Amino acid sequence: MISIDPLQNSERDNYKLLTGSIIPRPIAFVTTMSGEGILNGAPFSYFNIVSSNPPMISISIQHAAGQSKDTARNIKQTKEFVVHIVDQQNVGQVNITAAPLPPDQSEVALAGLTPVDSLQIAVPGVKEAKVRMECTLEHCLELPNNDLIIGRIVQFHIDEQIYDMGRIDAVKLGAVSRLAGNNYAGIGEIYTIERPV
């Protein structure tokens, strides 16, 4: 067993250890609206569930050049955003949105994604996602090099093809996950292990 003190590592070395071992990571494609009305979109794999009562999610958004990224800045200003689950059909377009565009350009337009109105908030989602969640900002924790966003889900949108009696069919959803580097993974073998009672 190799033992490594993270304080002796560079940030990049710690990043490689984290992204290589904490896998697979779900990917949130997040849309936000700038104060100038530009629809921003970006993917984040530092993403997960926080609570089901009330329904809340978390997204950690790393800083760029010491500053909050457009997504975090927009969320802090408008208090609204939409989270989409990235799947096998839209991952190529979502990957395009990772391009470092200036704030006055829309990654959603660049990727050819289709904006669709939300019901509870002003920020549009995108039609190409099988699952999207309208969110309001519950809390933002500003850490030294990232913004930890906690969002409350105020509306779910689920494609009827993957929805069955209140459950989502994982195979039909076809969610993809982030690994390290440029690698992604789909849903592999599914197996069941009963929990102890």
Side-chain angles (χ1 to χ4, degrees):
M1 178 74 65
I2 298 169
S3 294
I4 300 170
D5 180 349
L7 294 178
Q8 302 303 313
N9 264 355
S10 69
E11 182 276 334
R12 190 67 186 166
D13 288 336
N14 287 328
Y15 172 84
K16 289 177 185 177
L17 294 177
L18 288 166
T19 61
S21 59
I22 301 175
I23 58 171
R25 296 186 309 282
I27 307 168
F29 175 63
V30 182
T31 54
T32 61
M33 190 73 77
S34 74
E36 293 72 37
I38 304 298
L39 183 59
N40 172 267
F44 300 94
S45 68
Y46 293 9
F47 157 61
N48 223 310
I49 300 166
V50 170
S51 167
S52 57
N53 184 25
M56 294 193 291
I57 53 87
S58 67
I59 306 163
S60 180
I61 303 174
Q62 305 299 300
H63 288 174
Q67 300 293 317
S68 291
K69 289 184 178 176
D70 295 344
T71 299
R73 192 169 52 253
N74 292 345
I75 291 171
K76 288 188 274 188
Q77 288 174 355
T78 69
K79 313 289 192 265
E80 296 181 340
F81 58 104
V82 182
V83 171
H84 310 74
I85 301 301
V86 179
D87 63 57
Q88 292 170 350
Q89 282 72 48
N90 64 30
V91 66
Q93 287 175 290
V94 168
N95 185 57
I96 292 170
T97 69
L101 297 184
D104 63 347
Q105 293 182 27
S106 171
E107 296 84 357
V108 173
L110 175 70
L113 293 163
T114 311
V116 58
D117 287 341
S118 291
L119 295 179
Q120 302 287 337
I121 64 174
V123 178
V126 298
K127 184 179 179 181
E128 289 76 9
K130 296 185 187 82
V131 175
R132 72 180 187 272
M133 297 165 273
E134 299 177 22
C135 300
T136 57
L137 179 62
E138 185 77 12
H139 188 68
C140 176
L141 179 60
E142 296 184 3
L143 299 171
N145 293 300
N146 69 307
D147 295 295
L148 178 59
I149 304 291
I150 307 293
R152 181 187 291 245
I153 299 166
V154 296
Q155 190 77 43
F156 288 101
H157 301 275
I158 314 292
D159 187 315
E160 59 273 7
Q161 298 298 314
I162 68 168
Y163 184 84
D164 182 28
M165 305 287 288
R167 297 181 185 275
I168 293 174
D169 185 312
V171 174
K172 290 180 181 176
L173 171 57
V176 297
S177 58
R178 196 77 167 84
L179 303 177
N182 291 323
N183 296 325
Y184 294 80
I187 297 291
E189 177 188 0
I190 296 176
Y191 57 92
T192 301
I193 300 177
E194 295 293 334
R195 288 188 179 190
V197 290

